[in-house]
DNA sequence: ATCCTATCCTGTAGGC
DNA sequence: TGCCTACAGGATAGGA
């Protein structure tokens, strides 16, 4: 989304902003429209899952898509109105950016650019694995002493910022690690595999514009194509693509986890591993 | 500090 | 067809 927004909105000047008035994760501050109006977008950044749309005069629009949020860009906004649109940013050239979010778990607020890192949502984030690809030893250090599961570890944005529920399952399958293992119990070799698969999965998912299995769309309302690459997510009872064993679905911390009980066991033989 | 649970909200799929 | 439950890409407050 950062890359798509960068290509389409940098250089455009905000004419006006309309809000639905509905609360998202937090209330959208009423000052947001007047902080953006009249200013030109100069860059689009990202920290973990948060988008940072920065404008002139040191103003940044902070945004998170939550579970069901999407940004839609229109050269000419449609006359028919969509449901669940909580922000319409109209540009001076007639184009527009709309924020749509049925479940309203997203976040939207304008902040001072110099204070972005102090924003409570941003301040708690751990290292960003795309900006700085993690090494095995670095992950092992972050996990030292923790009793939570390795799946829970990957999902915790305060430890690693940016991995969500789909990619956590995918990373652990590719790394051959059981998601139920305690994070502190992984060997150095296992952390090394998690680190490299984490980087590989995020890289390919980004190149494919994300994973659409229902609601998510790109900036142009098209599905992302990483769904074609999924090995375990949403494939309960289907055969593992590597060994044919039925994929299992379990629940960890109220979130679904998908894994192959054979490939992701401690004894599993792994491709490329010595016998 | 770490962990676990419940909660916010709407839409959809599947069983009956 | 309607009615019901379960579940969905996330983060956080509050309690143990």
């Amino acid at each position: 989304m950062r890359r798509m927004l960068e290509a389409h909105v940098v250089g455009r000047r905000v004419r006006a902003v309309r809000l639905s008035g509905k609360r998202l994760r937090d209330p959208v501050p009423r000052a947001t429209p007047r902080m953006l109006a009249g200013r030109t977008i100069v860059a689009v950044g990202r920290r973990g899952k948060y988008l940072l749309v920065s404008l002139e005069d040191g103003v940044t629009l902070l945004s998170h898509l939550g579970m069901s949020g999407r940004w839609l860009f229109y050269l000419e906004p449609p006359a028919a109105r969509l449901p669940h649109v909580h922000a319409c940013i109209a540009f001076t050239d007639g184009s527009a950016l709309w924020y749509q979010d049925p479940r309203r778990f997203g976040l939207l607020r304008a902040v001072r650019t110099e204070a972005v890192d102090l924003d409570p949502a941003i301040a708690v984030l751990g290292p960003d694995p795309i900006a700085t690809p993690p090494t095995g030893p670095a992950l092992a250090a972050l996990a030292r002493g923790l009793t939570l599961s390795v799946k829970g570890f990957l999902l915790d944005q305060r430890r690693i910022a940016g991995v969500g529920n789909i990619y956590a399952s995918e990373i652990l399958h590719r790394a051959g690690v059981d998601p139920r293992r305690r994070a502190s119990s992984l060997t150095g070799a296992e952390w090394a595999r998690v680190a490299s698969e984490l980087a590989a999965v995020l890289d390919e998912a980004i190149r494919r514009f994300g994973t659409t299995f229902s609601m998510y769309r790109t900036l142009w309302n098209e599905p992302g194509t990483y769904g074609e690459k999924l090995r375990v997510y949403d494939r309960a009872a289907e055969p593992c693509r590597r060994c044919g064993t039925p994929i299992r679905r379990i629940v960890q911390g109220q979130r679904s986890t998908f894994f192959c009980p054979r490939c992701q066991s401690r004894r599993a033989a792994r491709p490329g591993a010595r016998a």
Side-chain angles (χ1 to χ4, degrees):
Chain A
M1 292 306 295
R2 189 209 66 78
R3 180 181 35 156
M4 294 185 274
L5 284 168
E6 178 178 67
H8 284 79
V9 303
V10 168
R12 297 192 198 270
R13 184 162 167 260
V14 177
R15 178 168 56 76
V17 179
R18 274 197 7 250
L19 303 178
S20 70
K22 291 221 172 141
R23 178 200 170 97
L24 303 180
R25 182 208 302 176
D26 293 334
V28 181
R30 298 182 51 138
T32 304
R34 62 178 173 269
M35 288 179 74
L36 305 183
R39 302 200 157 100
T40 296
I41 295 174
V42 296
V44 184
R46 182 194 57 77
R47 296 259 207 297
K49 299 175 189 173
Y50 291 84
L51 288 163
L52 309 171
V53 180
S54 70
L55 299 93
E56 297 173 309
D57 305 328
V59 173
T60 291
L61 178 63
L62 185 63
S63 133
H64 191 298
L65 301 174
M67 295 275 249
S68 59
R70 47 164 94 150
W71 282 107
L72 295 167
F73 176 76
Y74 299 104
L75 272 177
E76 293 179 49
R81 45 211 269 203
L82 293 173
H84 308 302
V85 172
H86 301 295
C88 297
I89 301 175
F91 297 109
T92 52
D93 64 359
S95 63
L97 196 54
W98 290 8
Y99 180 71
Q100 184 186 34
D101 187 1
R103 293 181 71 183
R104 295 195 269 132
F105 291 165
L107 178 142
L108 216 50
R109 60 172 164 252
V111 299
R112 299 295 314 170
T113 300
E114 71 267 19
V116 163
D117 290 334
L118 304 176
D119 185 281
I122 301 296
V124 298
L125 297 178
D128 186 299
I130 296 170
T132 312
T135 65
L139 293 182
L142 288 171
R144 193 155 47 218
L146 302 180
T147 61
L148 89 166
S149 68
V150 61
K151 163 73 169 354
F153 172 86
L154 289 178
L155 277 187
D156 187 340
Q157 304 299 300
R158 291 166 303 189
R159 306 183 196 283
I160 296 286
V163 177
N165 203 38
I166 295 175
Y167 302 131
S169 282
E170 294 298 309
I171 289 161
L172 291 173
H173 179 262
R174 293 169 59 132
V177 171
D178 188 319
R180 299 166 295 187
R181 297 264 302 281
R182 282 190 178 194
S184 57
S185 77
L186 270 63
T187 65
E190 287 169 331
W191 278 121
R193 294 202 302 271
V194 170
S196 72
E197 298 298 346
L198 193 162
V201 166
L202 293 185
D203 184 73
E204 175 144 32
I206 288 166
R207 281 191 277 117
R208 288 174 163 269
F209 297 100
T211 304
T212 294
F213 69 87
S214 70
M215 167 85 198
Y216 162 77
R217 292 290 188 281
T218 68
L219 193 57
W220 318 284
N221 208 358
E222 286 167 357
T225 62
Y226 193 81
E228 300 165 17
K229 305 294 288 185
L230 294 177
R231 298 194 183 182
V232 290
Y233 188 83
D234 205 25
R235 296 193 63 240
E238 292 175 45
C240 173
R241 298 197 198 280
R242 187 161 89 79
C243 77
T245 302
I247 298 300
R248 275 190 65 191
R249 174 186 177 272
I250 59 173
V251 175
Q252 295 180 287
Q254 294 93 238
R255 314 294 304 278
S256 287
T257 301
F258 299 87
F259 70 106
C260 170
R262 182 157 169 196
C263 294
Q264 294 172 259
S265 75
R266 246 170 278 227
R267 305 207 219 223
R270 260 163 267 295
R274 282 167 197 259

